[in-house]
Amino acid sequence: EADIYQTPRYLVIGTGKKITLECSQTMGHDKMYWYQQDPGMELHLIHYSYGVNSTEKGDLSSESTVSRIRTEHFPLTLESARPSHTSQYLCASRGDGANVLTFGAGSRLTVL
Amino acid sequence: AQKITQTQPGMFVQEKEAVTLDCTYDTSDQSYGLFWYKQPSSGEMIFLIYQGSYDEQNATEGRYSLNFQKARKSANLVISASQLGDSAMYFCAMRPSVTGGGNKLTFGTGTQLKVEL
């Protein structure tokens, strides 16, 4: 039973479109993360947040942006999608003092 | 900076056999945590097992055990009695600080495990 939800699971869009990937968690976790994963490759951290109104860029440079207006919600936005943005995007969260990240099911984005 | 190395891009194992997936890491931190995640073809990341750098005992969770050799900087995953449902990609990961501080989980490139009849 997932406590962290990502929508859409799959998205195919054209170049230049604006898209928002939604991520919500019901565990009250302060820390949330976005990872990008190309097929068959490792995960790379692109954004993270320590709490409301806190966002930081991760190790991998990304043209996407994030916001954290509510604890449970951490959406990722691409203002103008390009084929190079085709990837899987995984959202995760972690409670204070916890070691383990809980991941959502992922959003697979294809930009034509 | 931390680095995780998984040298086995793919592994095959027969059902009911045990298999070891290799993971070595590099860090200058004294305190860190090591993780293994499973990623089926559906894409979600499933947490399997965790080992803190100061834990003296190797971690075990059901059929999963972590062979932690701190001096060699290795954290191999052992899956006993493999099942067909174990077929998936397996990622080793590390995060600095055992106590919960330190934000970034660094992943290896993964090992694709295929369990055969």
Side-chain angles (χ1 to χ4, degrees), chain A residues 45-89:
Chain A
L45 181 67
I46 53 174
H47 299 283
Y48 61 96
S49 167
Y50 284 123
V52 171
N53 294 325
S54 152
T55 61
E56 302 285 344
K57 289 192 178 293
D59 297 325
L60 182 69
S61 175
S62 174
E63 293 166 346
S64 59
T65 59
V66 291
S67 62
R68 191 87 184 275
I69 299 171
R70 302 198 317 263
T71 297
E72 62 271 21
H73 198 213
F74 191 39
L76 180 146
T77 298
L78 276 165
E79 290 292 333
S80 179
R82 294 205 301 272
S84 61
H85 297 139
T86 294
S87 191
Q88 171 158 255
Y89 294 85

Side-chain angles (χ1 to χ4, degrees), chain B residues 79-92:
Chain B
I79 305 174
S80 62
S82 298
Q83 302 171 355
L84 294 177
D86 293 335
S87 294
M89 189 75 132
Y90 288 80
F91 289 97
C92 181

Side-chain angles (χ1 to χ4, degrees), chain A residues 1-7 9 23-29 91-93 102-106, chain B residues 44-46:
Chain A
E1 186 177 329
D3 295 311
I4 182 163
Y5 305 94
Q6 290 188 242
T7 57
R9 285 293 315 276
C23 177
S24 296
Q25 49 96 4
T26 59
M27 299 170 283
H29 289 170
C91 181
S93 71
T102 301
F103 281 85
Chain B
E44 73 269 31
M45 294 286 284
I46 302 167

